[in-house]
Amino acid sequence: MVMRKHQRYFPVEDAKGTLMPYFITVANGCIDGPTVRAGNEAVLRARYEDARFFYKVGGSKGGLKGV
């Protein structure tokens, strides 16, 4: 969900539907592939770290009181 909703990345699944450690994104115009790839990976890593933090703090308790 983090990839699709917040960053507009497309997750990659194998033939059985298992999520793979890859994603697809689209860029308009000419780009420097390695630079864009590194930036996208950094942003996505940060979003997952945020999601993990909020889940640990209150995701299973129904709220984030005091945060």
Side-chain angles (χ1 to χ4, degrees):
M1 184 168 110
V2 171
M3 287 173 51
R4 283 186 221 138
K5 183 175 180 182
H6 299 290
Q7 300 305 131
R8 306 293 191 243
Y9 298 148
F10 301 96
V12 177
E13 299 175 351
D14 66 15
K16 296 179 182 178
T18 303
L19 187 63
M20 298 180 71
Y22 308 107
F23 63 90
I24 298 169
T25 188
V26 178
N28 295 325
C30 296
I31 62 164
D32 176 36
T35 301
V36 171
R37 180 182 300 118
N40 283 328
E41 289 173 349
V43 168
L44 190 55
R45 189 175 300 112
R47 295 295 164 261
Y48 274 108
E49 288 172 2
D50 291 347
R52 182 175 55 204
F53 168 78
F54 283 108
Y55 181 79
K56 284 183 178 180
V57 169
S60 61
K61 297 176 185 166
L64 297 173
K65 295 178 184 175
V67 176

